[in-house]
């Protein structure tokens, strides 16, 4: 036979071999029972098209992604058995994910025979037993994620053979023993998560060898001893959490020199001594949590050098002295239960007083300031010179203002009930609105309701706004007129980043309308009922919406000069801008909360059906707890993707441990994989259930709900 003949035969055999190999792999997938029979029985469809399967050009399986993010038509939680797959028939498998099935199973030894495996994710299951020793054979492994299982025993020392490992997550299991020193030889490791286990002993000095480490979490174990100074070798470290252990000793200065560190959690240990001045060198630090230790001495003013710092918790320590004035830029701060003295600095006046309680020597600031003569002269002399210059300018401005006021008086007299001319950018007037909408032409109308219509229009300055115009016949109805004026009254008094901005209003008897900031995405209600937008509203965005609404309601109830109850919290009254940021709207039924009980009686029930607190059906007394209940409904609606309906009654009668989280999550979104997202969802559901308590007195206040979102791990 010629060489050409041999080549032809070789190619034929090669083709037949590849076809046979792919058929063997397809059979292995079919026999696993992971896919329903209606899919596996259709042999005319390639296994490479099945959900969660990816193949290379030859048809060989390179990826299995069987996570609970997929819909139930393809995966059935009860039918998936980790040991039913013949892994030895999948020689090219590179990426393997089986997550979120809560399988009471052990890790099969066959997985260790996958020579090309680079990513192995078996997280969020109910896996039992120990980590198999044969995992050391997966020398190509780069990602190993087994968090949230019930794995017991020690970490096999031979895991050191996994030299390519970049990501190792063993968190939320029942592993024990000491930190294996051999792990310190995994030089490529960038993510190491050991939190939520039962590890003990000291943190080894060799941890300083992990110089590529960016994220290290060892919280919630039983580690003891001091923090080794070698941890200062981890120059790339961004996140360090060693909270809730039994660590002690002084704050190592080398830790303060980690220039890239953004989050540092030391709470719940027994650290003592002073906080080093060098802490001010960690210029990227955003979260610093040291509560529940025994730190003493004064708070170093150098913390004020941390311009990125947004969360500082030094509560429950033994700190003394005065509070540095350099801390004024920090958004969230807690210095409670120390031995601080003196006055609270004026630049911390906006911080809730709860952040300072438990310091017996601390006084509330009265806003007064003492200055030396030198300081006064330094400030006042230039001010006097500037004031003289401004005096000359202001003479002309005052004259101009009087002329404008005279003109405005004529307009008010001319238009009767016209209460306010726009002053947005100082130029918008009634005529601009009429011209921009072509006298409210229907082509600008984007929505119509029982009260009136909403128009979208562009003003002369280029700003796009929404106009809420009351129908003419509704304007003659005293109740609608009162509601419109009520909305103007409250929205001109409140200022909050998550409350819709009112740019102007016209309350003429012939033409009543409000000018709002335009929200491109419409209402949250519509977004959750549109499958495309609902998917775009991923878990992070949804959690941020819940958080922002909690802050907005806390502001209305507790931080306004006079408390305001919204009385119509619903997903229809939460609007979304183009970035899916949420804003509370529609203050037509809002009321000031009076301290006198009888003043809070209402003649009729305000609000949207399905969101109204049950006690209003018989008491007709509104208070802030009515808003709290409505917030609970909206929070559950955001998590579930639909109004909870009768589920509210079911949830309120169940104990928390009886509620399976995956049963109430919006099925259009993947099951969250990140621990922080999962914890936040659990918190939101827990808070929502508390808000839905049938007894108003047992519901939390919105201030308490808002504060729950300020915990560092939930700062989304």
């Amino acid at each position: 036979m010629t060489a050409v003949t041999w080549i032809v035969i070789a190619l034929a055999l090669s083709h037949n071999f590849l076809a046979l190999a792919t058929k063997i792999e397809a059979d292995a997938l079919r026999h696993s029972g992971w896919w329903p029979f209606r899919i596996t029985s259709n042999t005319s469809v390639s296994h490479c098209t099945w959900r969660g399967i990816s193949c290379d050009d030859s048809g060989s399986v390179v990826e299995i992604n069987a996570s609970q993010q997929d819909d139930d038509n393809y995966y059935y939680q009860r039918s998936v058995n980790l040991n039913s797959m013949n892994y030895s028939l999948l020689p090219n498998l590179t990426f393997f994910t089986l997550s979120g099935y809560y399988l009471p199973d052990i890790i099969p030894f066959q997985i260790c025979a996958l020579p090309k495996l680079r990513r192995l994710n078996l997280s969020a299951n109910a896996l039992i037993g120990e980590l198999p020793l044969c995992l050391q054979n997966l020398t190509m492994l780069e990602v190993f994620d087994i968090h949230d299982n019930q794995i017991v025993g020690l970490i096999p020392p031979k895991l050191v053979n996994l030299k390519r490992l970049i990501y190792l997550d063993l968190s939320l299991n029942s592993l024990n023993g000491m930190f294996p020193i051999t792990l310190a030889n995994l030089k490529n490791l960038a993510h190491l998560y050991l939190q939520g286990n039962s590890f003990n002993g000291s943190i080894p000095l060799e941890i300083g060898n992990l110089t590529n480490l960016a994220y290290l979490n060892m919280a919630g174990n039983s580690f003891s001893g001091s923090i080794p100074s070698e941890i200062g070798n981890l120059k790339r470290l961004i996140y360090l959490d060693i909270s809730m252990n039994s660590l002690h000793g002084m704050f190592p200065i080398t830790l303060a020199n980690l220039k890239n560190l953004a989050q540092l959690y030391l709470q719940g240990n027994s650290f003592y001594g002073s906080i080093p001045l060098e802490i001010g060198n960690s210029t990227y630090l955003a979260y610093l949590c040291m509560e529940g230790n025994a730190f003493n001495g004064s708070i170093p003013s150098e913390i004020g050098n941390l311009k990125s710092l947004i969360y500082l918790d030094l509560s429950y320590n033994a700190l003394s002295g005065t509070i540095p004035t350099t801390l004024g830029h920090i958004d969230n701060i807690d210095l409670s239960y120390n031995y601080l003295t003196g006055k609270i600095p004026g630049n911390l006046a906006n911080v809730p007083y709860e952040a300072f309680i438990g310091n017996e020597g601390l006084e509330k600031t009265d806003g007064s300031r003492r200055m030396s003569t030198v300081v006064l002269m330094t400030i006042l002399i230039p001010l006097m010179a500037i004031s003289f210059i401004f005096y000359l300018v202001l003479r002309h401005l005052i004259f101009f203002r009087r002329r404008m006021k005279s003109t405005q008086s004529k307009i008010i007299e001319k238009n009767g009930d016209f209460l306010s001319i726009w002053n947005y950018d100082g130029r918008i007037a009634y005529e601009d609105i009429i011209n921009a909408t072509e006298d409210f032409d229907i082509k600008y109308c984007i929505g119509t309701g029982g009260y009136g219509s909403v128009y979208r229009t562009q003003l002369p300055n280029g700003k796009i706004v929404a106009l809420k115009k009351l129908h003419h016949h509704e304007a003659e109805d005293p109740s609608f007129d009162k509601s419109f004026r009520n909305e103007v009254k409250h929205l001109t008094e409140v200022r909050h980043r998550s409350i819709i901005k009112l740019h102007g209003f016209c309350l003429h008897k012939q033409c009543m309308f409000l000018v709002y900031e335009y929200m491109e995405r419409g209402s949250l209600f519509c977004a959750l009922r549109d499958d495309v937008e609902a998917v775009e509203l991923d878990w992070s965005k949804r959690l941020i919406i819940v958080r922002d609404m909690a802050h907005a309601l806390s502001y209305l109830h507790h931080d306004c000069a006079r408390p305001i109850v919204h009385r119509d919290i619903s997903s229809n009254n939460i609007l979304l801008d183009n970035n899916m940021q949420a804003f509370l709207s529609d203050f037509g039924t809002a009321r000031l909360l009076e301290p006198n009980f009888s003043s809070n009686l209402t003649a009729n029930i305000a609000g949207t059906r399905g969101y109204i607190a049950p006690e209003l059906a018989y008491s007709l007394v509104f208070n802030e707890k009515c808003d709290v209940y409505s917030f609970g409904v909206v929070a559950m609606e955001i998590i579930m993707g639909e109004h909870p309906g009768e589920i509210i009654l079911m949830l309120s009668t169940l104990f928390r441990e009886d509620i399976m989280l995956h049963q109430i999550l919006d099925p259009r979104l993947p099951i969250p994989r990140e621990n922080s997202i999962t914890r936040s969802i659990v918190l939101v559901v827990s808070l929502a259930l508390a808000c839905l308590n049938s007894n108003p007195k047992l519901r939390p206040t919105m201030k308490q709900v808002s504060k729950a979102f300020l915990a560092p791990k939930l700062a989304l």
Side-chain angles (χ1 to χ4, degrees):
M1 289 189 291
T2 65
V4 174
T5 303
W6 281 112
I7 292 172
V8 171
I9 293 173
L11 288 173
L13 290 173
S14 173
H15 177 76
N16 289 335
F17 175 78
L18 290 174
L20 177 61
T22 54
K23 182 181 183 304
I24 291 173
E25 293 185 16
D27 288 341
L29 298 179
R30 286 191 179 92
H31 295 149
S32 69
W34 293 5
W35 291 266
F37 178 75
R38 62 183 179 77
I39 291 178
T40 59
S41 61
N42 188 356
T43 55
S44 63
V45 176
S46 169
H47 62 281
C48 296
T49 63
W50 297 357
R51 184 72 64 87
I53 298 294
S54 298
C55 299
D56 60 16
D57 293 338
S58 68
S60 183
V61 177
V62 294
E63 180 177 6
I64 298 177
N65 184 358
S67 64
Q68 268 290 57
Q69 65 181 336
D70 301 289
D71 62 53
D72 291 337
N73 291 329
Y74 288 86
Y75 295 107
Y76 296 101
Q77 178 179 342
R78 296 181 183 277
S79 67
V80 174
N81 184 331
L82 190 56
N83 281 278
S84 64
M85 178 72 75
N86 190 342
Y87 300 97
S88 63
L89 301 180
L90 305 172
N92 294 313
L93 190 62
T94 307
F95 305 102
F96 179 36
T97 296
L98 185 68
S99 175
Y101 280 90
Y102 302 97
L103 309 171
D105 216 336
I106 63 170
I107 300 175
F109 295 140
Q110 278 193 355
I111 285 181
C112 301
L114 295 171
K116 296 184 179 180
L117 197 62
R118 290 170 51 194
R119 182 180 302 163
L120 176 58
N121 182 354
L122 301 175
S123 62
N125 289 298
L127 298 176
I128 59 176
E130 299 184 354
L131 292 174
L133 300 177
C134 64
L135 288 173
Q136 63 181 303
N137 298 331
L138 300 175
T139 54
M140 300 293 290
L141 204 62
E142 297 173 355
V143 174
F144 182 33
D145 186 351
I146 199 168
H147 79 266
D148 197 7
N149 282 286
Q150 299 173 27
I151 302 298
V152 298
L154 308 175
I155 299 177
K158 291 292 186 177
L159 283 188
V160 69
N161 291 347
L162 309 182
K163 302 293 185 184
R164 295 173 178 262
L165 208 58
I166 299 171
Y167 187 106
L168 177 60
D169 192 344
L170 305 176
S171 64
L172 302 176
N173 280 284
S174 298
L175 294 165
N176 54 45
M178 301 180 68
F179 188 107
I181 296 178
T182 52
L183 284 187
N185 293 322
L186 299 175
K187 300 296 178 62
N188 290 316
L189 207 59
H191 298 255
L192 178 58
Y193 302 100
L194 303 175
Q195 70 270 23
N197 282 285
S198 300
F199 294 117
N200 53 44
S202 60
I203 301 174
L205 310 182
E206 289 79 3
I207 198 170
N209 297 337
L210 299 172
T211 53
N212 281 312
L213 209 58
Y215 295 85
L216 175 59
N217 193 333
M218 299 191 293
N221 284 285
S222 299
F223 287 116
S224 57
S226 58
I227 303 175
S229 60
E230 285 76 6
I231 208 165
N233 297 337
L234 310 181
K235 302 298 183 184
R236 297 187 179 184
L237 205 60
I238 297 172
Y239 179 102
L240 176 61
D241 189 346
I242 52 177
S243 63
M244 308 308 292
N245 280 286
S246 299
L247 297 166
H248 59 81
M250 301 184 70
F251 191 110
I253 294 178
T254 54
L255 192 61
N257 292 327
L258 296 175
K259 301 294 177 60
N260 291 313
L261 197 62
Q263 300 186 46
L264 176 59
Y265 305 105
L266 303 176
Q267 66 268 28
N269 284 287
S270 300
F271 295 118
Y272 55 82
S274 59
I275 302 173
L277 308 183
E278 289 80 1
I279 192 69
N281 297 336
S282 302
T283 51
Y284 290 108
L285 202 59
Y287 295 90
L288 178 58
C289 305
M290 304 169 67
E291 71 266 28
N293 284 285
F295 288 112
N296 54 35
S298 59
I299 300 174
S301 60
E302 285 74 8
I303 291 180
N305 297 336
L306 306 177
K307 300 305 180 184
S308 300
L309 197 64
I310 59 175
Y311 191 97
L312 174 65
D313 194 341
L314 301 177
S315 61
Y316 291 94
N317 279 285
L319 298 168
S320 58
T322 58
I323 300 174
T325 57
T326 56
L327 307 184
H329 66 286
I330 304 173
D331 294 337
N332 301 299
I333 188 169
D334 191 346
L335 305 177
S336 60
Y337 297 99
N338 281 284
Y339 299 101
L340 300 172
T341 57
K343 289 187 175 181
I344 300 172
N347 55 5
L348 294 176
N350 294 327
V351 176
Y353 188 64
E354 289 82 359
F356 305 105
I357 62 174
N359 293 281
E360 294 183 1
L362 205 57
E363 307 173 35
K364 279 189 177 180
T365 182
D366 58 1
S368 61
R369 296 288 182 271
R370 294 184 180 181
M371 295 185 181
S372 65
T373 304
V374 175
V375 174
L376 284 170
M377 294 300 291
T378 304
I379 295 175
L380 288 178
I381 290 176
L383 281 178
M384 291 173 66
I386 294 171
S387 298
F388 179 73
I389 297 172
F390 273 124
Y391 168 73
L392 299 177
V393 176
L394 286 174
R395 285 182 63 186
H396 297 282
L397 289 177
I398 291 169
F399 176 72
F400 177 75
R401 183 182 177 90
R402 285 175 177 170
R403 290 187 61 187
M404 290 296 294
K405 188 172 182 180
S406 174
T407 303
Q408 184 175 357
S409 298
K410 292 178 182 178
I411 295 174
I412 292 174
E413 183 180 352
K414 176 182 178 181
N415 292 339
D417 292 335
F418 187 57
L419 300 182
S420 177
I421 297 179
W422 322 119
N423 197 28
Y424 184 80
D425 283 352
R427 303 189 55 164
I428 300 172
Y430 174 78
E431 290 77 11
D432 293 325
I433 300 296
I434 300 300
N435 294 335
T437 60
E438 299 179 34
D439 199 12
F440 296 101
D441 191 287
I442 193 170
K443 68 182 179 182
Y444 295 100
C445 183
I446 58 174
T448 300
Y451 62 88
S453 301
V454 177
Y455 297 79
R456 176 190 182 276
T457 189
Q458 186 171 9
L459 298 174
N461 62 358
K463 179 75 174 179
I464 296 176
V465 295
L467 303 173
K468 181 178 176 180
K469 182 178 182 293
L470 196 64
H471 292 318
H472 178 70
H473 61 279
E474 303 292 0
E476 297 175 355
D477 186 326
S479 63
F480 282 97
D481 179 84
K482 181 180 179 181
S483 176
F484 235 61
R485 295 176 186 272
N486 196 48
E487 188 155 7
V488 169
K489 173 185 175 184
H490 290 301
L491 283 176
T492 52
E493 292 175 355
V494 300
R495 292 288 185 274
H496 191 276
R497 63 186 296 272
S498 297
I499 294 177
I500 194 77
K501 292 181 178 62
L502 180 69
H503 293 324
F505 56 91
C506 174
L507 299 180
H508 189 279
K509 60 185 177 182
Q510 298 299 324
C511 185
M512 298 182 70
F513 59 85
L514 311 178
V515 182
Y516 287 108
E517 186 176 13
Y518 178 64
M519 296 286 113
E520 296 89 340
R521 296 301 190 98
S523 72
L524 175 64
F525 176 89
C526 293
L528 289 175
R529 279 144 189 84
D530 182 283
D531 287 343
V532 175
E533 290 194 357
V535 172
E536 187 179 349
L537 271 175
D538 58 26
W539 291 121
S540 293
K541 290 187 179 73
R542 295 191 189 200
L543 292 169
I544 289 173
I545 290 173
V546 177
R547 179 201 67 186
D548 288 350
M549 290 303 98
H551 292 338
L553 285 172
S554 177
Y555 166 80
L556 291 174
H557 293 178
H558 304 284
D559 297 324
C560 285
R562 296 178 67 188
I564 297 173
V565 181
H566 187 280
R567 298 210 302 162
D568 195 9
I569 302 297
S570 71
S571 57
N572 256 321
N573 290 334
I574 296 173
L575 304 181
L576 304 174
D577 68 7
N578 204 35
N579 298 317
M580 291 294 190
Q581 184 178 351
F583 297 84
L584 185 60
S585 70
D586 202 336
F587 281 69
T589 60
R591 292 273 292 272
L592 292 172
L593 189 62
E594 303 293 345
N596 181 10
F597 177 87
S598 61
S599 300
N600 296 325
L601 288 171
T602 180
N604 54 0
I605 299 177
T608 303
R609 183 178 180 182
Y611 299 86
I612 301 171
E615 64 270 16
L616 283 174
Y618 55 84
S619 70
L620 292 180
V621 177
F622 70 87
N623 57 34
E624 74 280 5
K625 292 299 181 74
C626 300
D627 279 356
V628 173
Y629 181 89
S630 303
F631 169 82
V633 178
V634 171
M636 289 300 300
E637 183 177 358
I638 291 171
I639 296 299
M640 297 176 65
E642 61 182 0
H643 189 282
E646 295 181 358
I647 294 179
I648 293 176
L649 296 176
M650 181 188 74
L651 292 177
S652 62
T653 59
L654 291 174
F655 292 102
R656 186 170 299 175
E657 56 267 25
D658 294 331
I659 299 172
M660 299 300 292
L661 187 61
H662 67 275
Q663 293 175 342
I664 61 174
L665 296 182
D666 189 339
R668 294 170 296 183
L669 293 188
I671 296 292
R673 300 184 179 185
E674 298 178 24
N675 290 339
S676 59
I677 297 294
T678 303
R679 282 195 299 266
S680 297
I681 292 174
V682 171
L683 175 73
V684 167
V685 172
S686 299
L687 291 171
L689 294 180
C691 293
L692 292 172
N693 197 302
S694 58
N695 186 346
K697 294 181 180 179
L698 298 181
R699 294 173 200 156
T701 65
M702 286 313 304
K703 188 177 225 30
Q704 290 171 326
V705 175
S706 175
K707 195 167 184 180
F709 286 100
L710 297 180
K713 293 186 180 179
L714 302 173
L716 301 166

